[in-house]
């Protein structure tokens, strides 16, 4: 008789948000979900994060907006999006039937704009949570990025918190000196979770023309190159806060995702890997299940933050 092994429990609790599994498609790499629906059964995902929204539609930066690097990519899309109103009108109908947790990413160029966008999204049926992308220049304070100072993080997150009771994830930038302090500021201002990392600022130059490859000159680096940085920052943030941490950066395989979970992430987001393989998230979910089974683990929970430092392995 062949004994069937117990199916491990892939479910995780991101605070009050229950996910079927810990794998979420990252903002800006999965459109508004619908673009992928023909190739990826969305109901198999733990969740998906939409492309970042602003109050008004945005065209983004002029091309070229993408550049390949040896182990990743640079993008300077410039947060092109359809705007909140069109999103709710044209995209939510499909997303309500997606069958996975729908998280809506948003941003603004002033605290009030973040708050107003969050307010408008709060009452929309079918949204499981909001993800605030605070890697945006604060136009009212001379263009300093919200995400880089604990004080401005606290201020903008407090404003958003006052505007919404929705589940609120604050997405952190790696372009900072001390990620733990930034994560704590987000927690103290009322974030329900933090997600990290967003892209690392980089650039590329065409030596033939001596001009920047990206029209915007600089862009955000993502993909395998950023994984060690993301992992280190998730580990530091997870030790500093009590709220759940969502790990992002260079995740392309189940092993990458497992590293983040062991470092302290409760869930992970898969980004650029979707451009190589639109089904990457599904393969990662299957790989996590196989790992749990092979290691006799009943579920994902015991893995989270299980890093052994300075101990017998
Ligand atoms: C083309 C592109 C567009 C992105 N757009 C957004 C966005 O709108 N909002 C956001 O918070 N992050 C955005 N990101 C960042 C990703 O969600 C993710 O944090 C980052 O790419 C690191 O993960 P990865 O290495 O798995 O891609 C974008 C990334 C890429 C590559």
């Amino acid at each position: 008789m062949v004994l069937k092994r117990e199916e491990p429990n892939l479910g995780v609790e991101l605070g009050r948000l229950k996910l079927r599994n810990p794998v979420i498609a990252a903002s800006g790499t999965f459109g508004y979900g619908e673009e992928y629906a023909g190739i990826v059964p969305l109901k198999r995902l733990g969740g998906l994060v939409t492309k970042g929204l602003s109050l008004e539609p945005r065209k983004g930066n002029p091309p070229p907006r993408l550049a390949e690097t040896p182990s990743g990519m640079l993008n300077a899309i410039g947060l092109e999006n359809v705007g909140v109103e069109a999103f709710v009108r044209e995209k939510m109908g499909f997303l309500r039937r997606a069958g996975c947790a729908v998280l809506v990413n948003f941003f603004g160029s002033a605290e009030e704009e973040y708050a107003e966008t969050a307010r408008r999204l709060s009452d929309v049926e079918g949204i499981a949570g909001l993800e605030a992308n605070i890697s945006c220049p604060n136009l009212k304070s001379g263009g300093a990025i919200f995400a880089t100072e604990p004080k401005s993080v606290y201020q903008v997150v407090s404003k958003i918190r006052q505007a919404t009771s929705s589940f609120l994830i604050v997405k952190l930038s790696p372009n900072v000196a001390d990620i733990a302090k930034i994560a704590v500021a987000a927690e103290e201002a009322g974030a329900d979770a933090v997600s990290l990392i967003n892209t690392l600022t980089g650039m590329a130059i065409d030596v033939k023309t001596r001009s920047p490859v990206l029209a915007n000159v600089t862009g955000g680096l993502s993909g395998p190159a950023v994984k060690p940085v993301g992992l280190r920052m998730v580990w530091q943030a997870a030790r500093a806060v009590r709220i759940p941490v969502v790990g992002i950066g260079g995740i392309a395989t189940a092993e990458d995702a497992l590293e983040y979970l062991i470092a302290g992430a409760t869930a992970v987001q898969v980004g650029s890997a979707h451009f190589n393989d639109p089904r990457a998230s599904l393969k990662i979910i299957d790989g996590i299940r196989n790992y749990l089974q092979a290691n006799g683990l009943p579920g994902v929970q015991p893995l989270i933050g299980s890093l052994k430092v300075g101990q017998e392995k």
Side-chain angles (χ1 to χ4, degrees):
M1 191 177 81
V2 182
L3 278 177
K4 195 169 174 283
R5 283 219 211 164
E6 275 287 289
E7 268 284 303
N9 176 9
L10 262 69
V12 290
E13 286 180 17
L14 201 60
R16 63 182 150 105
L17 204 66
K18 290 188 174 52
L19 303 178
R20 175 180 302 120
N21 62 62
V23 181
I24 302 168
S27 179
T29 68
F30 213 69
Y32 298 101
E34 198 164 3
E35 296 88 335
Y36 279 77
I39 359 174
V40 180
L42 303 181
K43 63 177 192 313
R44 285 194 52 205
L45 300 175
L48 69 84
V49 189
T50 65
K51 174 70 190 157
L53 295 173
S54 45
L55 265 188
E56 300 300 327
R58 278 172 65 116
K59 281 208 176 80
N61 291 327
R65 312 197 289 184
L66 292 176
E68 274 204 47
T69 70
S71 185
M73 61 183 276
L74 283 166
N75 94 80
I77 304 292
L79 298 168
E80 175 179 343
N81 76 96
V82 297
V84 169
E85 239 172 73
F87 169 78
V88 174
R89 202 177 51 237
E90 294 161 18
K91 311 287 181 189
M92 272 314 296
F94 169 83
L95 285 169
R96 275 185 204 108
R97 301 186 304 273
C100 67
V102 172
L103 300 160
V104 176
N105 184 286
F106 71 102
F107 64 93
S109 51
E111 287 166 12
E112 298 72 35
E113 205 177 323
Y114 273 97
E116 182 55 25
T117 312
R119 194 173 295 117
R120 293 222 195 153
L121 290 166
S122 294
D123 302 329
V124 180
E125 193 205 320
I127 297 178
L130 305 179
E131 183 181 61
N133 173 11
I134 56 169
S135 308
C136 224
N138 180 352
L139 297 187
K140 285 219 172 133
S141 299
I145 310 291
F146 285 104
T148 49
E149 289 298 328
K151 195 168 155 230
S152 53
V153 171
Y154 183 85
Q155 278 173 355
V156 70
V157 176
S158 300
K159 274 269 161 59
I160 301 170
R161 184 73 290 173
Q162 282 160 26
T164 181
S165 56
S166 297
F167 187 79
L168 177 64
I169 305 174
V170 175
K171 182 162 177 180
L172 307 183
S173 165
N175 305 308
V176 300
D178 186 343
I179 196 70
K181 285 203 180 114
I182 302 281
V184 167
E187 177 179 45
E188 285 176 349
D192 294 307
V194 287
S195 59
L196 61 154
I197 57 174
N198 210 317
T199 55
L200 276 152
T201 309
M203 67 187 281
I205 295 172
D206 180 340
V207 295
K208 285 195 254 25
T209 59
R210 298 192 200 172
S211 53
V213 174
L214 298 171
N216 189 55
V217 185
T218 62
L221 181 67
S222 62
V226 309
K227 196 187 83 180
V229 179
L231 205 51
R232 182 265 295 179
M233 290 195 158
V234 161
W235 178 64
Q236 290 176 327
R239 292 196 308 170
V241 295
R242 283 180 299 270
I243 52 175
V245 174
V246 181
I248 322 172
I251 299 176
T253 65
E255 197 166 321
D256 296 332
L258 289 162
E259 282 188 70
Y260 272 96
L261 295 171
I262 293 166
T266 300
V268 295
Q269 291 183 15
V270 178
S272 310
H274 290 127
F275 300 139
N276 286 328
D277 178 0
R279 291 171 67 87
S281 289
L282 300 180
K283 291 177 186 164
I284 292 169
I285 296 164
D286 290 341
I288 294 174
R289 183 181 297 106
N290 292 343
Y291 174 89
L292 295 174
Q293 265 170 342
N295 288 277
L297 289 163
V300 175
Q301 207 59 43
L303 267 186
I304 298 170
S306 62
L307 183 71
K308 299 172 187 169
V309 181
Q311 297 171 14
E312 281 292 304
K313 288 196 181 145

